Amino acid sequence: SSPSPTGKIVSSKGGLRVNQAFENVSSFLKGRNFPGTVRVSGSRPGAATSAKTPARSGRVSASAAAAKRDETGPAGDGERRQPAVGAATAQPTATAACEKNGAAPGVPTPSGGASAPTLDAARTAAAAARDTPRDGLGGAGEVAGARSGSGAAPVTAAAASWTNLHSARDKKFERVLAEPIVNLKELGELVWSGCPVERRPICWKLMLGYIPPNADRREEVLGRKRHEYNNWVQQHYEIDDAERSEDELAILHQIQIDVPRTAAVVHLFHKPEIQRSLTRILYIRAIRNPGTSYVQGMNDLVTPFLAVFLSEVFTADDMNLWDVSTLTPIELCHVEADCYWCLCKVLDSIQDHYTFAQPGIQKICFKLSELVRRIDEQMHGHLKREDIDFLQFAFRWVNCLLLREFPFSLVPRLWDTYLAEGDSLNDFLVYVCSALLLKWSDQLKKFEFQDIIMFLQHLPTSTWGHSELEIILSKAHMWRTLFGRAPSHFLR
């Protein structure tokens, strides 16, 4: 092959496909600046070329991809999930205590079960995103940034290719989770890029250390922790107000004010059963951890866990269709206890966000300012000239881990990456905030103080799909790779 007079690559074999791929990449990179070098490599010399091989730049419609996934994916949509294996073989003492307040020990099998539920209303939103491209970007399941012509008919070969890709990824999760002792490092690498909906509950529990990687011990550990939480509810929550101290009454009062405000646009969190669970979780966490107690914003951090762990019971794609009144007391107690322990794991890793003066949040906001100055000095200078302190808009971002800045349908995917980061969450959060802020750099440079603040407090992300979120996470990863291990880059 050799360059043509137009600069395109011409080859006697497959030249048309190479040229199309080159145009797609050129179209995506047009007007964008990326540090480093962009390399375009071809296939290995001598690689066979077949008419049956799907073009990599082909676009897959949502309906075709979803149909293929439904044909080959796990069963269970539209059915009620069967009880987890081991739920009926719990310790007698734990069973007795849980039955009183609606709990019973038990844990799903490592493989996640045969009839796994579907959570993500994101699937619905992403499907719409794939069928109706926004800014030329595809939805979930497509390579972030790939461009193709709108209105093109679905390509059967390409749909099959994507189905095979997702099938191979699912098999990797299945293989890792089926091991007697799960390799958490390998699992974390898979979860970072997004977890299959049906495997998300067990993956999150493993990544947070709520259940052990040793499959033989999970049932016993899960039963013990659920029993322990149940005892604390009876000891601290199910008592008369006369038995509470003034501080405890103040904490409970503040939680009861904040819970109805949680995730205002998600109907699920305004159902009485869920709000009572939220109140119990937050109150027990505050009483058991007086160092941080309860701080506004913690209520938002419970919502991803509630949504994901409820998906083990309900199978409808739309969370607003979940009828929580049909939950048995045992099922609700299981979900509540799991949410409590997982919330504790997350808060323990960012504890300085919620201690006096919240030094952890201030530190992240300072790092954010320095990183923005390094990446886009003009943007940083404009904010400075407008007397805008990063704390004025980034405090809420960090306090709620950006939960309020994205549609809730994207939150579970965002938290896949958060939980895979483990102890590095604080560090990575700086880069995610930077990527989110600088996405609108060109617009913000034209705004004045009031317009900037209003814009950053109400980001136009309500119509975002998975593709937009993937670009933010990819940029954050790229910038961390460039600057994360070279702090001197931040110095003038």
Side-chain angles (χ1 to χ4, degrees):
S1 62
S2 60
S4 71
T6 61
K8 297 181 180 179
I9 300 174
V10 179
S11 173
S12 57
K13 289 187 178 182
L16 181 61
R17 186 170 70 251
V18 174
N19 288 341
Q20 183 62 48
F22 182 81
E23 290 175 357
N24 288 341
V25 174
S26 299
S27 176
F28 173 61
L29 295 178
K30 185 177 181 181
R32 300 171 183 263
N33 294 321
F34 292 92
T37 303
V38 177
R39 297 181 179 178
V40 180
S41 59
S43 59
R44 295 189 305 273
T49 303
S50 171
K52 295 181 180 180
T53 303
R56 289 183 181 271
S57 59
R59 184 176 184 83
V60 187
S61 74
S63 56
K68 282 290 183 180
R69 282 197 302 272
D70 290 342
E71 292 174 5
T72 60
D77 283 359
E79 300 176 356
R80 186 154 176 100
R81 184 181 178 89
Q82 296 300 318
V85 174
T89 59
Q91 299 174 358
T93 55
T95 302
C98 289
E99 286 178 348
K100 182 175 181 179
N101 280 281
V107 65
T109 59
S111 62
S115 58
T118 305
L119 164 68
D120 267 343
R123 179 191 291 181
T124 304
R130 286 193 297 269
D131 283 339
T132 308
R134 291 185 298 274
D135 300 328
L137 297 176
E142 294 188 67
V143 177
R147 290 179 177 265
S148 59
S150 60
V155 182
T156 304
S161 176
W162 280 114
T163 300
N164 292 337
L165 178 64
H166 287 291
S167 178
R169 181 169 172 77
D170 288 344
K171 288 179 179 178
K172 288 183 180 180
F173 272 94
E174 183 177 359
R175 175 183 58 79
V176 172
L177 292 172
E179 293 291 334
I181 301 179
V182 173
N183 185 328
L184 294 180
K185 181 179 179 180
E186 187 177 2
L187 180 63
E189 292 173 354
L190 291 172
V191 171
W192 199 100
S193 299
C195 190
V197 172
E198 65 275 5
R199 303 194 187 278
R200 187 168 277 144
I202 191 171
C203 287
W204 282 19
K205 293 172 187 177
L206 284 166
M207 295 308 302
L208 287 168
Y210 173 43
I211 58 177
N214 190 328
D216 294 337
R217 297 183 53 241
R218 288 179 201 159
E219 185 176 333
E220 181 271 329
V221 170
L222 193 62
R224 174 169 49 81
K225 289 189 173 181
R226 286 172 172 172
H227 175 56
E228 190 173 8
Y229 172 77
N230 181 68
N231 286 342
W232 289 340
V233 170
Q234 296 179 59
Q235 179 182 349
H236 299 294
Y237 186 82
E238 295 179 350
I239 59 176
D240 294 331
D241 286 346
E243 300 179 47
R244 307 183 201 275
S245 67
E246 290 185 5
D247 289 341
E248 291 171 346
L249 287 171
I251 292 170
L252 182 59
H253 178 67
Q254 186 60 55
I255 291 172
Q256 290 172 336
I257 291 175
D258 291 342
V259 162
R261 303 171 180 171
T262 304
V265 298
V266 183
H267 180 62
L268 173 67
F269 302 115
H270 297 275
K271 296 183 178 180
E273 299 88 349
I274 298 301
Q275 291 197 348
R276 286 194 291 268
S277 288
L278 265 172
T279 302
R280 284 192 292 266
I281 291 168
L282 294 168
Y283 182 76
I284 298 301
R285 175 51 173 67
I287 296 302
R288 298 291 303 175
N289 296 268
T292 54
S293 188
Y294 169 75
V295 177
Q296 287 179 308
M298 288 183 179
N299 52 314
D300 290 290
L301 303 187
V302 186
T303 57
F305 296 118
L306 276 170
V308 168
F309 296 149
L310 280 170
S311 74
E312 294 183 283
V313 181
F314 297 105
T315 60
D317 288 347
D318 187 352
M319 291 184 296
N320 293 320
L321 299 179
W322 294 352
D323 185 0
V324 295
S325 65
T326 64
L327 289 173
T328 66
I330 289 177
E331 288 173 328
L332 186 58
C333 187
H334 281 183
V335 171
E336 190 176 313
D338 294 348
C339 291
Y340 168 80
W341 285 109
C342 289
L343 173 68
C344 289
K345 295 288 186 180
V346 171
L347 293 180
D348 288 347
S349 68
I350 55 174
Q351 189 168 351
D352 58 353
H353 286 207
Y354 305 107
T355 53
F356 178 73
Q358 300 179 275
I361 295 179
Q362 296 192 48
K363 184 178 180 181
I364 288 179
C365 290
F366 173 77
K367 288 184 176 180
L368 174 61
S369 173
E370 291 298 295
L371 181 61
V372 170
R373 180 179 62 80
R374 179 64 180 85
I375 297 173
D376 190 341
E377 192 165 4
Q378 290 184 351
M379 176 65 181
H380 186 273
H382 179 68
L383 294 178
K384 187 175 182 180
R385 286 191 297 273
E386 293 296 327
D387 293 325
I388 292 179
D389 191 319
F390 277 70
L391 279 169
Q392 290 175 297
F393 62 88
F395 184 91
R396 188 184 80 169
W397 291 10
V398 179
N399 189 52
C400 299
L401 301 184
L402 292 172
L403 280 177
R404 298 182 183 179
E405 317 313 318
F406 294 101
F408 191 79
S409 59
L410 299 181
V411 168
R413 168 63 192 96
L414 176 65
W415 276 54
D416 287 340
T417 299
Y418 281 175
L419 301 187
E421 283 292 329
D423 294 337
S424 301
L425 172 59
N426 261 343
D427 174 63
F428 187 68
L429 187 60
V430 175
Y431 295 93
V432 178
C433 291
S434 299
L436 188 62
L437 172 64
L438 294 180
K439 177 176 177 59
W440 292 283
S441 175
D442 293 341
Q443 292 174 253
L444 292 171
K445 289 174 186 175
K446 302 174 184 178
F447 292 166
E448 296 182 351
F449 177 90
Q450 184 174 357
D451 294 330
I452 293 174
I453 293 297
M454 291 296 295
F455 184 91
L456 294 177
Q457 289 181 347
H458 302 87
L459 293 176
T461 59
S462 60
T463 60
W464 274 23
H466 279 245
S467 58
E468 290 88 347
L469 176 60
E470 294 296 341
I471 289 176
I472 295 296
L473 294 175
S474 297
K475 284 186 177 181
H477 176 69
M478 177 182 67
W479 286 337
R480 182 174 63 175
T481 302
L482 289 171
F483 304 123
R485 298 182 180 179
S488 61
H489 285 198
F490 295 118
L491 303 177
R492 292 184 181 274

